[in-house]
Amino acid sequence: MSMITATSWVPRGFSAPFPLKYVFDEDEYARISKLAKLQLDDAQEDLEEAQNEKKSKSKDKAASGTVDDAKDHDDIDDDLKEYDLEHYDDDDPDQEGAGDTMAMFGNTKNLVFHENDEDDPYITMKEQDDDDEEREELQILATDNLVLAGRIEDEVAHLEVYVYEDEADNLYVHHDIMLPAIPLAVEWIDLPVGKTNADKDAKGNFVAIGTMEPDIELWNLDLVDSMYPDAILGQGGEDDGTNAEKKKKKKKSKKSNENYHVDAVLSLSANRLHRNLLASSSADKTIKLWDLNTTKCAKSYSYHTDKVCSVTWHPVESTILLSGSYDRTVVAADMRAPEAKAPRWGVESDVETVRWNPHDPNYFYISTENGMIHYHDARMAPADPSESKPVWILQAHDESISSLDINPIIPGFLVTGSTDKQVKLWNVQASGPSMVVSRDLGVGKVFSTTFAPDKEVGFRLAVAGSKGAVQIWDTSTNAAVRAAFSSKVPEIKGDGKERLVGLEESDTDSDSEEGEDEDDEGEDGENNGEGWESMEE
């Protein structure tokens, strides 16, 4: 079993041209030991508890079987006596050939040792050649994008870091990162994490990963083969061992608190204006605000009554956070005023995703479990969530809309992905939404659809799902998309066929399913707006 649960793009120009190989030195050992101490203490306590429980259960059995056990032990001793294992390692001066050098290593005195490989005439492949070749293999060009994908395969979770070469139609795995549990949220961070004295304009290339575990891991994407995250947001990152017992009790109680999550992390959102702030939402019904400089929780919020599945920062008003929950409400709260009553909207079923409109931040989108999209004016907050009136509402899919994204480059370009295996592209105009194309891209149930962040690749769309395949779709090569966004699409190159780029090992698997031919994959061409309803009147 293999599936990809979340994806994220890294903009061009942020990745190091030559990522470094991980070096395990004394400083790194000290850092890992400090970060892992509480986890090791917890594991030790769990082990001791299990051992004590086992001992107490077996005490009666052990008492009743003492005589038999002793007899069996004597029998075993008799069987082993002939081998004299107690003196196995002792030197025997009387043994024949004692003191002689073994023939295999008899000429060790005649061997010549060289201080370095360059002086050894028998070593013809120089280390420098290997280093140069490895360095070249890891190189990331200025025209490359990284695509991050959270994968679970055969119960092993990891983050795959792909390099997407647009001009060459190539997608390959650059390196991967082992994760402690199923990844649920992947967010790119443009700040050097854990640097309290870093320059305010300093660039970084990190990733924050939320999983089924309550801790959030932060990894440096410019470092390959790392053994341990650069930082942990949560209980696992607290390095003060003096309160280990207190923390242990809190962890076991699963009780929400002000300092860290106690259940799965469902969503992450990095603040692009206050770059040291990261928002997270969890199945523990709370939202946490993290300071990436100190890697500590700055504030916790509890204004939802069920799992909080999606959070996103306002693109202009940098302190406003939009959140959606399984309590079937969406809140736009000012993080500076946690006690103030925040505007709240209601929907017909569990919220799946919330997104601001980056081209008009007065509006936001909501996708739901029932396959609906709600489009709201944030300035028109209802007195009660049950009285919510969206600008328009759309039945986009028959099943849950598991992913939603708004193109940051092309206004009105919207994508939805669903557990019905369909990816749908929409053209949202002042008159309302209209479907441009519906496709089955062979990824199975669609869990993630994300547009590329750079102008040069503005029409590229990463799609992933339950079959463990990632596809990069150049939507500008689709005839219906070209017609709908004719003033914005670039001049088409090549033979006019649609471009769909995936990993080589995934191509044959994804193409063998339903949706192999373009005619079978869905519908191309705009519809007449059927399925959506204006709520303005």
Side-chain angles (χ1 to χ4, degrees):
M1 171 189 147
S2 175
M3 65 179 176
I4 292 176
T5 52
T7 60
S8 181
W9 290 78
V10 176
R12 295 178 175 186
F14 281 88
S15 300
F18 295 98
L20 300 175
K21 293 283 286 185
Y22 175 80
V23 177
F24 188 71
D25 53 20
E26 290 185 5
D27 292 339
E28 179 65 2
Y29 176 78
R31 184 185 76 86
I32 289 178
S33 299
K34 190 177 181 181
L35 278 172
K37 185 179 187 307
L38 184 60
Q39 293 173 320
L40 293 173
D41 289 344
D42 286 346
Q44 181 63 33
E45 288 181 24
D46 290 339
L47 179 61
E48 290 175 0
E49 288 177 8
Q51 289 174 337
N52 291 335
E53 185 178 351
K54 185 177 181 180
K55 286 179 181 179
S56 63
K57 287 182 179 180
S58 60
K59 186 177 287 185
D60 294 338
K61 292 182 179 179
S64 62
T66 302
V67 177
D68 293 335
D69 290 345
K71 185 177 179 181
D72 292 341
H73 182 69
D74 291 340
D75 292 339
I76 293 173
D77 285 347
D78 291 338
D79 293 337
L80 295 177
K81 275 181 182 178
E82 61 178 291
Y83 298 105
D84 194 22
L85 295 180
E86 292 181 5
H87 304 94
Y88 181 78
D89 292 326
D90 295 347
D91 292 332
D92 186 357
D94 298 327
Q95 186 176 353
E96 184 179 348
D100 293 343
T101 305
M102 288 183 292
M104 185 181 295
F105 304 102
N107 292 326
T108 53
K109 292 181 180 180
N110 298 325
L111 291 177
V112 178
F113 294 94
H114 300 277
E115 290 186 4
N116 56 65
D117 292 344
E118 293 180 0
D119 298 333
D120 192 336
Y122 294 100
I123 297 180
T124 56
M125 292 185 64
K126 302 303 181 184
E127 188 175 341
Q128 185 63 41
D129 295 338
D130 293 340
D131 290 344
D132 289 344
E133 185 178 342
E134 187 174 36
R135 190 168 182 265
E136 187 176 338
E137 288 177 355
L138 293 175
Q139 184 177 10
I140 298 174
L141 303 178
T143 54
D144 292 340
N145 283 95
L146 295 188
V147 179
L148 314 176
R151 179 188 292 275
I152 177 75
E153 185 169 12
D154 297 330
E155 299 184 2
V156 177
H158 54 280
L159 180 83
E160 290 183 332
V161 181
Y162 305 131
V163 171
Y164 173 60
E165 300 173 326
D166 185 63
E167 290 294 328
D169 285 350
N170 188 28
L171 182 72
Y172 65 90
V173 178
H174 186 270
H175 65 280
D176 62 1
I177 297 168
M178 295 296 293
L179 300 177
I182 297 174
L184 302 175
V186 176
E187 182 77 346
W188 174 69
I189 306 291
D190 64 353
L191 180 85
V193 171
K195 307 290 185 183
T196 53
N197 57 350
D199 185 82
K200 67 176 183 178
D201 297 323
K203 281 186 177 183
N205 187 28
F206 286 73
V207 60
I209 306 167
T211 70
M212 293 292 287
E213 295 290 325
D215 290 339
I216 300 164
E217 294 191 347
L218 300 172
W219 294 82
N220 185 354
L221 293 171
D222 291 336
L223 198 60
V224 178
D225 296 336
S226 294
M227 293 176 60
Y228 210 76
D230 291 75
I232 297 175
L233 307 181
Q235 188 177 12
E238 296 184 3
D239 51 41
D240 183 5
T242 59
N243 295 323
E245 185 64 31
K246 185 177 179 182
K247 292 173 188 173
K248 179 74 175 176
K249 290 178 181 177
K250 282 184 181 178
K251 186 175 180 182
K252 283 192 168 182
S253 68
K254 285 278 187 179
K255 185 177 180 181
S256 298
N257 61 81
E258 298 291 315
N259 300 315
Y260 49 82
H261 288 302
V262 294
D263 208 337
V265 177
L266 305 179
S267 180
L268 297 167
S269 182
N271 194 314
R272 301 304 176 193
L273 300 177
H274 299 293
R275 297 191 302 136
N276 65 308
L277 296 181
L278 176 73
S280 64
S281 67
S282 170
D284 66 13
K285 306 177 187 179
T286 71
I287 295 170
K288 297 282 192 287
L289 188 60
W290 303 91
D291 185 342
L292 295 177
N293 290 333
T294 63
T295 66
K296 300 295 182 184
C297 182
K299 190 69 179 173
S300 180
Y301 306 86
S302 303
Y303 43 76
H304 283 291
T305 59
D306 206 337
K307 297 179 179 68
V308 188
C309 54
S310 183
V311 288
T312 184
W313 289 103
H314 194 283
V316 178
E317 300 292 335
S318 60
T319 61
I320 304 297
L321 186 74
L322 192 67
S323 61
S325 168
Y326 286 2
D327 64 13
R328 301 187 176 187
T329 68
V330 171
V331 174
D334 191 331
M335 299 289 99
R336 298 170 300 181
E339 306 303 324
K341 185 178 180 181
R344 187 182 296 264
W345 292 262
V347 291
E348 86 295 335
S349 60
D350 292 354
V351 175
E352 292 288 347
T353 311
V354 292
R355 289 286 184 273
W356 292 102
N357 183 350
H359 307 286
D360 190 348
N362 289 319
Y363 296 87
F364 62 88
Y365 296 87
I366 308 168
S367 71
T368 71
E369 185 182 32
N370 283 359
M372 307 293 290
I373 296 179
H374 301 247
Y375 189 57
H376 279 277
D377 187 335
R379 299 163 296 185
M380 305 292 290
D384 185 271
S386 61
E387 300 172 359
S388 300
K389 293 184 178 179
V391 177
W392 50 259
I393 188 170
L394 169 70
Q395 180 73 56
H397 293 265
D398 294 330
E399 297 184 18
S400 173
I401 299 178
S402 45
S403 61
L404 166 74
D405 200 21
I406 297 91
N407 193 301
I409 310 299
I410 299 97
F413 195 11
L414 181 75
V415 61
T416 57
S418 170
T419 53
D420 64 10
K421 303 181 181 180
Q422 295 294 313
V423 175
K424 294 185 179 182
L425 305 181
W426 305 86
N427 184 9
V428 181
Q429 299 172 302
S431 57
S434 58
M435 190 180 74
V436 179
V437 58
S438 176
R439 294 283 294 277
D440 181 340
L441 297 178
V443 300
K445 294 180 179 180
V446 182
F447 294 147
S448 182
T449 53
T450 50
F451 281 112
D454 300 298
K455 184 178 180 181
E456 297 85 350
V457 285
F459 279 88
R460 311 306 182 269
L461 175 68
V463 181
S466 62
K467 289 187 178 179
V470 175
Q471 300 281 13
I472 308 296
W473 184 15
D474 182 357
T475 60
S476 69
T477 59
N478 177 272
V481 172
R482 296 187 66 78
F485 301 97
S486 56
S487 62
K488 303 177 181 68
V489 292
E491 183 180 347
I492 196 164
K493 299 177 182 179
D495 54 10
K497 292 183 178 179
E498 283 198 39
R499 294 175 63 201
L500 195 64
V501 182
L503 296 174
E504 287 186 9
E505 60 266 29
S506 299
D507 288 346
T508 54
D509 294 338
S510 61
D511 288 344
S512 64
E513 295 294 327
E514 180 185 358
E516 186 173 87
D517 296 321
E518 205 170 292
D519 294 336
D520 297 330
E521 285 173 339
E523 304 169 21
D524 285 10
E526 294 194 16
N527 66 13
N528 57 7
E530 195 175 351
W532 73 274
E533 180 181 352
S534 174
M535 297 293 180
E536 288 183 320
E537 296 180 359

